[in-house]
Amino acid sequence: MAEHRSMQRAALLDAARSLLSEGGTEALTFPALAERTGLARSSVYEYFRSRAAVVEELCEVDFPVWATEVSDAMQRAETSEAKVEAYVRQQLALVGDRRHRAVVAISASELDAGAREKIRAAHGGLVAMIVEALGELGHAEPRLAAMLLQGVVDAAVRRIELGAAEDPTSITDAAVAMALRGVRG
């Protein structure tokens, strides 16, 4: 029975990822989850008490996986500059991934404090990784530089998600150039 419940829970989380990546947080409703999974709406409430609870669990499950992929890419890099490049490229490579799209939709939404705290902690882990590399590159304020760098990454994510005129590779290359060389290009 417990195995069946965990399979249903996993199916609900997967349906939530799809709904979020297709339509953002507005699309994540209990009727839509019930329809996607073939469960009764009342059954959905047995697993999650609210939309925020669904979001919070997705954060707990997906964010660490995503952060690990970025971390692994950075650890494979030989130099501080290559670590910065890996940090940018890996985040942008994950844009097409449904987990990433769900995470982006979640980040943009109105969340309760618990979910926001989990996102902040996961983001904090990513930022901490890059602070060290930026310090090694000689930044006087590596933490500030890290926050600004994440702003460049977030802008590139939005640009790719919008299906902008440029192809994702050009956007990624431009974001890497901005990260490494600033506006000099």
Side-chain angles (χ1 to χ4, degrees):
M1 187 69 191
E3 193 175 320
H4 179 66
R5 279 190 68 80
S6 82
M7 280 171 61
Q8 286 194 326
R9 187 176 208 94
L12 283 165
L13 287 175
D14 204 50
R17 275 182 204 101
S18 294
L19 290 164
L20 283 164
S21 68
E22 290 158 22
T25 43
E26 299 77 56
L28 180 61
T29 63
F30 278 28
L33 282 172
E35 193 181 317
R36 287 280 168 110
T37 54
L39 291 169
R41 200 185 311 183
S42 59
S43 299
V44 178
Y45 282 98
E46 288 173 32
Y47 292 91
F48 298 104
R49 64 187 184 287
S50 64
R51 277 174 14 141
V54 177
V55 163
E56 212 167 306
E57 187 151 333
L58 268 182
C59 291
E60 274 177 52
V61 173
D62 289 356
F63 238 113
V65 174
W66 182 49
T68 299
E69 288 177 34
V70 176
S71 168
D72 289 350
M74 287 178 69
Q75 281 169 355
R76 287 191 298 273
E78 301 285 320
T79 64
S80 302
E81 198 164 286
K83 283 186 194 319
V84 172
E85 179 165 352
Y87 177 82
V88 174
R89 283 194 188 281
Q90 189 59 41
Q91 284 191 68
L92 297 178
L94 293 168
V95 171
D97 186 309
R98 268 181 337 135
R99 280 172 321 175
H100 179 274
R101 277 210 300 273
V103 162
V104 170
I106 289 166
S107 301
S109 70
E110 288 304 304
L111 296 173
D112 68 14
R116 266 203 313 273
E117 196 40 59
K118 285 196 174 68
I119 289 178
R120 242 198 312 278
H123 260 299
L126 279 178
V127 170
M129 289 188 282
I130 202 63
V131 167
E132 189 181 337
L134 291 167
E136 288 163 6
L137 283 173
H139 275 276
E141 292 190 60
R143 189 142 186 87
L144 173 59
M147 302 313 275
L148 297 174
L149 173 60
Q150 189 58 46
V152 169
V153 173
D154 294 344
V157 165
R158 280 193 299 278
R159 193 101 188 127
I160 292 170
E161 297 245 319
L162 287 170
E166 314 86 3
D167 71 293
T169 309
S170 305
I171 296 169
T172 300
D173 291 345
V176 168
M178 178 76 73
L180 297 178
R181 290 183 289 284
V183 292
R184 286 194 307 273

